[in-house]
Amino acid sequence: MNPWAGGRHGLVPVLAVALVALLAGTWLLSGELVEDTDPLLVAVGRTGVACAVLAAFVAARADTREQARAVLARPGRLVQLALLGFAAYALGTLLALPRIGTSLTNLVVALMPCASLALGALWFGQRATVRQAAGAVLATSATAAYALLGGGSRLDGAGLLLAVAGMLAFAWYGFLYRQHLGGIAPAAALPVLLGAATALLLPFALAAHEAAPGEWAGIAVLGGAVYVPAYLVQHRLILLRGPVFTAAVQLAVPFTVRLGEWATGLSGPPYAAEVILLGGALVGIALVTLPRLKRSTSYCTTAHPTRQGATPPDRVPRTAAGEDRP
């Protein structure tokens, strides 16, 4: 049993709300920074700062130091997780931001439940329903139409590919993280993963343009004050409810980000077609994830139904399709 998945019933809603607020903050602040700062510097800077902040907490306790050493003991797996979950995700999304804008990049990342559904079915033995498959098609189609309209910015094929690549990398990472590091506290595993990701990103930063002191201050705030709590909440939810549910929590983030852009003057108010396509994408993702939000339980039976209230021994409970319960 996973020791880091306790107390889920009261904790999950609080973590979900906190994650939406933190992720919206990361997108808005990142979008502001990449307007004047090289995205490669933002990627390596926020990753390195988050690593340093979390490493200080790890160093202060013997139990977290021991768990961090356990992560270091498997360097091959460590590099794979750091590459997928942090280096590739950061490069893909941050390089996409100046090309296609914050709102469209975030909407592409919000397709992660659909990607997780496909990855789970293809590689991790999870089954998808017809409803979920239809939702994935609807969400992807609405996002493609949103991109063709410009999504509040100019359409850029390379930017879309970068955002999709970053999204797919993190979707794959969510499964591998829960599978291989599920018994380790996120506060102990994350600084090791972030440290490895920083090392992977450093060669890219060497070719980046210099940043002003004020821009470095913004990167420090992004990495230390926003990304640290966001990472901790995100990975706790992955352990509590799985990668698909955690991706589903981000359903509210595109609307939050779009309204935030409007409120801060980064873009004008949403127009009708934009709202319809955003809504269509999120309805599609909701069709993918709604059974998990209800946490309904179904049964595989090998005998005739019994009277109400009886639970025969040949009934094996399983969760709704796609959720891997801890």
Side-chain angles (χ1 to χ4, degrees), residues 175-303:
F175 286 101
L176 295 179
Y177 169 79
R178 193 166 188 248
Q179 183 178 25
H180 297 287
L181 298 181
I184 294 178
L190 280 173
V192 182
L193 295 172
L194 288 166
T198 303
L200 292 171
L201 289 168
L202 276 176
F204 296 95
L206 294 176
H209 301 296
E210 289 293 330
E215 294 169 343
W216 279 115
I219 292 173
V221 171
L222 175 64
V226 185
Y227 260 98
V228 165
Y231 281 144
L232 291 173
V233 171
Q234 182 183 55
H235 286 72
R236 183 65 185 275
L237 274 176
I238 289 174
L239 297 182
L240 286 171
R241 293 293 299 271
V244 179
F245 176 87
T246 305
V249 169
Q250 298 176 161
L251 286 172
V253 178
F255 281 127
T256 307
V257 168
R258 185 65 182 88
L259 293 174
E261 286 184 315
W262 180 23
T264 55
L266 294 175
S267 62
Y271 49 89
E274 186 179 3
V275 172
I276 291 171
L277 291 173
L278 272 171
L282 299 185
V283 167
I285 301 171
L287 290 174
V288 173
T289 58
L290 188 58
R292 295 168 187 81
L293 296 177
K294 289 182 176 180
R295 285 190 70 80
S296 60
T297 302
S298 58
Y299 293 89
C300 298
T301 63
T302 57

Side-chain angles (χ1 to χ4, degrees), residues 5 24 42 45 89 95 135 151 187 199 219 236 261 308-309:
V42 177
Y89 176 77
L95 289 172
I219 292 173
R236 183 65 185 275
E261 286 184 315
Q308 184 176 5

Side-chain angles (χ1 to χ4, degrees), residues 13-37:
V14 176
L15 291 177
V17 172
L19 183 59
V20 170
L22 289 167
L23 288 178
T26 63
W27 283 109
L28 291 170
L29 184 52
S30 295
E32 286 274 12
L33 282 171
V34 298
E35 289 293 325
D36 302 310
T37 310

